[in-house]
Amino acid sequence: MSHIALYRSWRPQMFKDMVGQQHIIQTLQNAIREQRVSHAYLFNGPRGTGKTTTAKVLAKAVNCMHGPAIEPCNACATCIGITEGHIMDVVEIDAASNRGIDEIRDIRDKVRYAPTEVRYKVYIIDEVHMLTAEAFNALLKTLEEPPAHVIFILATTEPHKLPATIISRCQRFDFRQVSTEEQVARLREICQEEGIEATDEALSYIARLSEGGMRDAISLLEQTSAFANRQITLEAAVDVTGGIAAEQFYELAEAIQHKNAASMLSLVESLMQAGKSPDKCLENLMYYFRDLLVLKLANGGDTATERIVDAERFRAMASAYSADELFRMIEILNHYQQELKHAAQPQTLLEVALLKLCASSDGGAQRAAEAGSEEIAQLRQQVQQLESQLAKLLKQGIVAAPAQQQQERQAPRRSFAASGINRPKVKLDRFISALQGQETQEARMKWGDIMMRVKDRKVTVQAWLKDSELVAAVEGQLLLTFKNDMHREMTERPSHREIIEQVASEVMNRPYQLVTVMLKDWQAAVDGNQEPAVESLELEPEHIAGPEANIGNNQNGNNQPEWIEEAYKLFGEELVVVKE
């Protein structure tokens, strides 16, 4: 028996046989019992949830020779005729192929005539959202003033595409997806009647794949039964539906966890050789990581483990990932799932998506420990740099301050300033040469990601950075141009600069430093002019007190451009205020 024949044999012929739509059935039965049947109904919901079937059962109930009855007898000539499609007064129209105004005008002309065989003429218009605007206008006139002997039943999966004027003239019923438990019960009933042996795991798997559509579940059951010679197991259901076995899920997740790209690519190749489609692999893997996330965040989330046979192994894999990792990986998979729909090389795009997961995954506790060791090493290097800079300043004449002066330095809102402090020159030649280079192109592609991550770290830093434009990258340096000098100054604050450089290094997978220049100077350099003139910061000297006033002016006989930056590093930006 083909799956179409199996579905027809198990297609509900009475209201009581409907699965998952009891709230709708009860409403319709009450309307029939009280003789308050509407002239127009709108049935909307996902595919395979019983919209058209309910419409036909309703047509039989109102026209049954022993009714109108809340349950059609299914034995009289009328019920049998409607079931077999012989009654000319019950018309089913597919709006996908009959969507023009001419077809609707034909209906409008015929509704005025009384039915010849039954009580009510019933027009069932399936996929009604496919009608043209003109056809909707023609149908609207009929719905406004319908004859008493006509019932319209409109069925659609996309009610938002219907005009509001059509919806307002119908009684609307929303069909829901059939629950997994209800589907499994119906599939088990079918297996018993048809002599098919099936395990509970296989039926649950088939029910989940149908995504709430009973029709799809029966079709998958028949397809799997034919493949497995009426001996349905979970392995057979996975094979015939193109899914991925639990063991392969685990191996992929383990390869991603350990950043083992070679093993991951080998697994992908074996899946492709087994006939799995890239889009199905990506979809199933996203479900897998979703279940890991649910299990990790929802205590006692037993529903998440329904997809996996070995629950203990599943829980162990969930504990190997952090929630942030899982969120990030699901977002990456979702992005590539959209791209896969238009990809010329879907397998290559699948491999790229999984390689990106390998690159973005922290790899659990071991990776965290390694990251912590790296951070400690970086901090030690920064301390060594500060110590060497402090020693250099001491050689230039800076002496340790008494305790009282040290306390004054720590007082809030202390200003350190000197007149004539100059910003160091930025050599732009190498940045101009790198405008078309690979490093610049890569940095520009990832600049949006850098901006988003900076915003996550500190939104005020991203606000100052929005005025900038990344123009070039070369040898671990990013050159930004600014239109506004204040935005440039705030971006260059040590704490702000540190955030930007950290994020850029994470995104680009190598250390990067920030270099800034005003837009006008950059444009002049690109046009072939000389390097930009030195920018002078005129600072007020009235807040300078004690020996600090002579630092940088009297020791070497000239100005020291590094003075302000060194003051930030020594005393912290919270205590140093530079006034222009």
Side-chain angles (χ1 to χ4, degrees):
M1 183 184 297
S2 69
H3 73 272
I4 297 177
L6 181 62
Y7 173 67
R8 284 177 177 170
S9 66
W10 282 94
R11 190 170 188 171
Q13 303 299 329
M14 302 179 69
F15 283 131
K16 66 180 181 180
D17 296 327
M18 293 296 299
V19 177
Q21 315 299 341
Q22 284 74 18
H23 60 300
I24 296 175
I25 300 306
Q26 182 178 351
T27 303
L28 293 175
Q29 287 179 328
N30 290 341
I32 295 172
R33 182 185 294 111
E34 298 173 6
Q35 298 183 359
R36 295 182 179 273
V37 177
S38 176
H39 69 283
Y41 293 96
L42 173 61
F43 293 167
N44 70 269
R47 69 182 191 278
T49 53
K51 301 182 295 295
T52 306
T53 299
T54 302
K56 289 186 175 180
V57 175
L58 177 60
K60 288 194 291 185
V62 297
N63 287 314
C64 180
M65 296 178 65
H66 304 289
I70 61 174
E71 284 288 359
C73 69
N74 267 339
C76 65
T78 298
C79 290
I80 295 174
I82 293 175
T83 300
E84 296 178 353
H86 298 159
I87 302 298
M88 302 303 296
D89 293 320
V90 177
V91 183
E92 183 176 359
I93 302 171
D94 180 15
S97 54
N98 300 278
R99 58 193 306 263
I101 188 173
D102 293 335
E103 289 82 358
I104 302 301
R105 281 176 175 169
D106 183 61
I107 294 175
R108 188 180 61 183
D109 294 338
K110 291 179 179 178
V111 295
R112 68 183 69 176
Y113 301 112
T116 58
E117 301 177 77
V118 293
R119 297 185 189 88
Y120 292 94
K121 275 191 173 183
V122 180
Y123 288 93
I124 303 171
I125 306 178
D126 200 10
E127 300 298 335
V128 69
H129 63 274
M130 298 292 290
L131 292 179
T132 63
E134 295 79 6
F136 274 125
N137 290 334
L139 178 62
L140 179 62
K141 183 64 176 177
T142 304
L143 293 180
E144 284 177 341
E145 302 173 359
H149 57 263
V150 176
I151 298 175
F152 282 94
I153 304 176
L154 315 181
T156 179
T157 56
E158 301 181 53
H160 57 278
K161 293 185 178 180
L162 271 64
T165 50
I166 295 290
I167 297 176
S168 65
R169 286 165 173 80
C170 302
Q171 283 192 16
R172 176 171 173 171
F173 291 91
D174 297 327
F175 285 68
R176 65 175 179 84
Q177 291 182 336
V178 183
S179 68
T180 303
E181 293 78 10
E182 291 172 318
Q183 284 187 318
V184 169
R186 176 54 64 90
L187 293 177
R188 188 176 291 110
E189 182 183 351
I190 294 174
C191 289
Q192 291 172 355
E193 292 292 332
E194 298 292 332
I196 301 172
E197 295 184 11
T199 63
D200 292 340
E201 294 83 0
L203 294 181
S204 296
Y205 179 79
I206 292 172
R208 286 194 302 272
L209 284 185
S210 69
E211 298 180 350
M214 195 66 239
R215 180 181 62 217
D216 293 348
I218 297 176
S219 298
L220 288 172
L221 177 69
E222 174 62 21
Q223 183 181 358
T224 309
S225 174
F227 172 79
N229 196 20
R230 306 178 77 84
Q231 302 285 332
I232 300 177
T233 62
L234 178 60
E235 292 75 14
V238 170
D239 288 341
V240 77
T241 58
I244 305 177
E247 181 63 27
Q248 293 170 313
F249 275 127
Y250 183 85
E251 291 175 357
L252 276 174
E254 193 173 38
I256 292 170
Q257 176 197 352
H258 296 294
K259 295 188 175 181
N260 191 342
S263 175
M264 183 272 298
L265 290 174
S266 176
L267 286 168
V268 172
E269 183 62 29
S270 65
L271 289 172
M272 297 300 102
Q273 292 294 331
K276 312 297 183 184
S277 62
D279 58 336
K280 203 68 177 178
C281 291
L282 199 62
E283 179 184 348
N284 289 343
L285 192 60
M286 186 162 61
Y287 282 136
Y288 182 83
F289 284 119
R290 172 263 178 196
D291 293 342
L292 289 178
L293 182 62
V294 171
L295 187 63
K296 192 171 191 67
L297 298 182
N299 294 328
D302 295 332
T303 55
T305 59
E306 288 182 359
R307 301 174 195 269
I308 305 301
V309 177
D310 191 346
E312 291 302 323
R313 197 177 189 186
F314 191 59
R315 292 178 187 276
M317 181 58 70
S319 64
Y321 286 97
S322 68
D324 290 338
E325 284 182 287
L326 293 172
F327 277 122
R328 185 167 58 252
M329 288 191 291
I330 291 172
E331 289 174 358
I332 291 172
L333 291 175
N334 181 64
H335 167 74
Y336 280 98
Q337 188 181 28
Q338 301 299 322
E339 297 291 332
L340 204 61
K341 296 177 181 178
H342 312 287
Q345 299 292 334
Q347 179 179 344
T348 302
L349 198 61
L350 172 63
E351 292 171 344
V352 170
L354 297 182
L355 285 172
K356 190 165 185 178
L357 293 187
C358 288
S360 65
S361 172
D362 291 336
Q366 182 179 357
R367 293 283 185 279
E370 292 175 0
S373 300
E374 268 183 41
E375 189 174 351
I376 291 173
Q378 290 176 358
L379 289 174
R380 286 177 178 171
Q381 185 178 1
Q382 291 176 1
V383 169
Q384 291 175 357
Q385 291 176 353
L386 289 174
E387 289 176 347
S388 63
Q389 291 172 357
L390 181 59
K392 181 179 177 181
L393 289 175
L394 290 174
K395 287 180 182 179
Q396 293 174 353
I398 299 179
V399 297
Q404 181 178 0
Q405 293 182 2
Q406 186 70 16
Q407 292 176 357
E408 292 175 356
R409 285 174 182 164
Q410 294 176 356
R413 303 187 65 82
R414 171 65 63 91
S415 299
F416 294 90
S419 60
I421 298 300
N422 295 327
R423 183 188 301 279
K425 292 182 180 180
V426 178
K427 296 184 181 299
L428 299 177
D429 292 344
R430 61 196 185 97
F431 289 105
I432 295 175
S433 302
L435 277 176
Q436 304 302 325
Q438 182 178 357
E439 188 174 357
T440 297
Q441 299 302 323
E442 182 182 359
R444 286 176 177 172
M445 289 176 61
K446 297 183 177 181
W447 183 244
D449 192 12
I450 293 173
M451 291 283 286
M452 292 300 297
R453 294 200 184 189
V454 168
K455 183 178 180 182
D456 293 339
R457 294 279 184 90
K458 193 171 184 179
V459 68
T460 53
V461 177
Q462 193 254 3
W464 296 115
L465 197 60
K466 284 174 68 174
D467 179 63
S468 68
E469 180 182 358
L470 174 66
V471 293
V474 60
E475 297 177 358
Q477 289 189 328
L478 299 175
L479 180 64
L480 303 183
T481 61
F482 286 83
K483 300 177 184 178
N484 187 291
D485 190 64
M486 178 179 290
H487 290 189
R488 181 185 179 190
E489 293 293 334
M490 295 302 297
T491 299
E492 286 189 333
R493 279 198 167 190
S495 62
H496 297 175
R497 174 191 287 270
E498 181 180 3
I499 292 175
I500 298 169
E501 290 178 347
Q502 285 181 354
V503 170
S505 300
E506 293 172 2
V507 175
M508 303 291 292
N509 293 323
R510 58 169 291 186
Y512 268 94
Q513 293 180 344
L514 205 61
V515 179
T516 66
V517 69
M518 295 305 294
L519 178 60
K520 61 181 185 297
D521 297 326
W522 168 254
Q523 291 174 341
V526 172
D527 293 340
N529 295 342
Q530 299 296 322
E531 288 186 328
V534 175
E535 302 176 29
S536 176
L537 298 179
E538 298 296 335
L539 306 176
E540 297 179 4
E542 60 266 28
H543 293 285
I544 303 175
E548 294 95 332
N550 297 321
I551 295 175
N553 289 326
N554 299 331
Q555 299 299 328
N556 298 329
N558 56 5
N559 296 324
Q560 298 182 14
E562 300 88 0
W563 192 90
I564 293 297
E565 188 170 351
E566 295 301 332
Y568 276 134
K569 291 181 178 178
L570 287 172
F571 307 107
E573 64 174 316
E574 306 295 335
L575 304 180
V576 179
V577 179
V578 180
K579 293 189 176 181
E580 297 186 4

